[in-house]
Amino acid sequence: MNKLLTLLRKDGFQAFWLLAPSVIGFSIFYLIPFLLGFWESFTEGAGVGGSKFVGLHNYIDLLGSSSFRKAAANTLLFTAVSVPLLILLSLGLALLLNRPLFLRDGIRTSIVLPLVVPVASTVTIWQIFFDWNGTLNEWLHEIGQGRIDWMQSDWSIGIVAVMFLWKNLGYNMILFLAGLQSIPRSYYESASIEGAGPLRRLYHITLVYLTPTMFFVVLISIVNSFKVFRETYLLAGDYPYDRLYMMQHYMNNMFASLDVQKLTAAAILMVGCIALLVALLLAVERRFRENME
């Protein structure tokens, strides 16, 4: 009995009992459904019991689908353009607002404010501004220019990118500010005494010690860029302009048509793509740290 009580008091068992509720909930609502979906992607037919294993047939059909290729290309283009812009803008704002500045607290609040605005409200504002009879077209009309159907043109992906930047800029800026404020001020003072200029201090101190935060922000930004479906769906519906047709549109349409196998195959490929990007980022970060040491 005493041995059992001693075993139960060990840190490993205590950690297990503390983590058990979260592990059970994660398994029920995430892990088990994901494994079932992974199995479904290799089958055809209705339900787990009545389905038939078909191997990679669903994946081959998926890669041969023009709709899927268009959705994947648009999603990757959106991520490749919007994420670097988001990183540069949020880092620049964090560097600016990390120093004494007039009305600094008010500027920080205004940048962070979009985080608490619901997506539906954000989309409504964008619709009012970019609609055919919206504010922007009214301004163009007043200066003698023709109206533009913004959401049915190549401008549409730029509009969604601006909305993505506006919505996520504050969150990334907070993360960068936390990373900047964790760098000891003595490093900058020593560099100034040795004659290092602002650019050298930025490159050799700020960016070096901000590297862990940088990789985390890049990772979060990539994941968020794959979740832009809510905005595009509310703005343009099930079948938007070609440039706005994202991966989530494809999966949503497969769900609406009850094509579960294609849906799960697309989801598995999307998870695999994100996992590959994460592994690449972690490898780059590990290599960078080894070089720094």
Side-chain angles (χ1 to χ4, degrees):
M1 187 65 180
N2 291 332
K3 290 183 178 180
L4 179 61
L5 291 175
T6 303
L7 184 64
L8 292 175
R9 290 194 187 100
K10 288 186 176 180
D11 292 341
F13 273 95
Q14 292 179 3
F16 173 78
W17 291 116
L18 289 172
L19 291 173
S22 298
V23 171
I24 293 172
F26 177 80
S27 300
I28 293 175
F29 295 105
Y30 291 95
L31 182 59
I32 295 175
F34 177 79
L35 294 176
L36 291 174
F38 184 73
W39 165 255
E40 284 288 338
S41 68
F42 294 100
T43 65
E44 66 178 11
V48 176
S51 58
K52 181 178 66 174
F53 182 78
V54 293
L56 298 175
H57 178 73
N58 291 322
Y59 290 93
I60 295 172
D61 286 350
L62 195 66
L63 294 175
S65 169
S66 60
S67 298
F68 174 80
R69 293 199 303 269
K70 176 173 64 178
N74 288 340
T75 302
L76 292 175
L77 175 64
F78 179 83
T79 300
V81 173
S82 60
V83 170
L85 284 175
L86 179 61
I87 299 301
L88 289 175
L89 289 174
S90 56
L91 178 59
L93 284 172
L95 291 171
L96 179 65
L97 297 177
N98 193 44
R99 60 182 64 190
L101 192 68
F102 180 67
L103 295 177
R104 182 177 64 177
D105 293 339
I107 297 173
R108 286 181 178 178
T109 302
S110 64
I111 295 173
V112 175
L113 191 61
L115 288 174
V116 300
V117 178
V119 174
S121 301
T122 302
V123 171
T124 301
I125 297 171
W126 248 246
Q127 286 175 332
I128 292 172
F129 192 75
F130 290 104
D131 189 70
W132 176 260
N133 294 315
T135 305
L136 184 56
N137 276 334
E138 185 63 27
W139 291 346
L140 291 175
H141 179 69
E142 288 181 358
I143 62 175
Q145 301 295 321
R147 296 176 183 269
I148 300 175
D149 192 353
W150 296 98
M151 300 310 300
Q152 295 297 322
S153 67
D154 288 338
W155 290 99
S156 56
I157 193 170
I159 293 170
V160 175
V162 171
M163 182 165 55
F164 172 78
L165 295 175
W166 180 75
K167 185 71 176 176
N168 294 278
L169 193 61
Y171 179 67
N172 285 8
M173 184 193 70
I174 291 174
L175 295 176
F176 277 129
L177 280 173
L180 288 170
Q181 292 173 4
S182 67
I183 302 174
R185 302 302 303 174
S186 58
Y187 293 173
Y188 294 101
E189 294 172 359
S190 300
S192 298
I193 292 174
E194 293 177 0
L199 290 179
R200 292 191 64 183
R201 292 198 300 269
L202 174 66
Y203 182 77
H204 293 285
I205 298 177
T206 303
L207 294 182
V208 169
Y209 289 95
L210 203 62
T211 299
T213 304
M214 177 76 73
F215 280 103
F216 177 75
V217 172
V218 170
L219 177 59
I220 292 297
S221 300
I222 291 174
V223 173
N224 287 335
S225 70
F226 278 83
K227 295 161 53 180
V228 76
F229 168 70
R230 294 175 301 174
E231 290 82 353
T232 55
Y233 181 80
L234 292 174
L235 272 174
D238 293 336
Y239 297 94
Y241 184 72
D242 281 357
R243 185 58 71 184
L244 277 184
Y245 191 73
M246 302 290 183
M247 277 289 295
Q248 296 92 336
H249 280 98
Y250 180 84
M251 290 189 286
N252 185 67
N253 294 334
M254 291 299 101
F255 177 78
S257 62
L258 298 180
D259 194 343
V260 179
Q261 285 73 28
K262 294 290 193 307
L263 167 64
T264 53
I268 295 300
L269 287 178
M270 188 172 178
V271 170
C273 182
I274 294 176
L276 183 62
L277 288 173
V278 171
L280 181 61
L281 284 174
L282 292 177
V284 172
E285 181 186 13
R286 192 180 306 112
R287 182 64 61 84
F288 183 84
R289 286 183 176 180
E290 290 175 356
N291 292 336
M292 288 302 300
E293 293 174 356

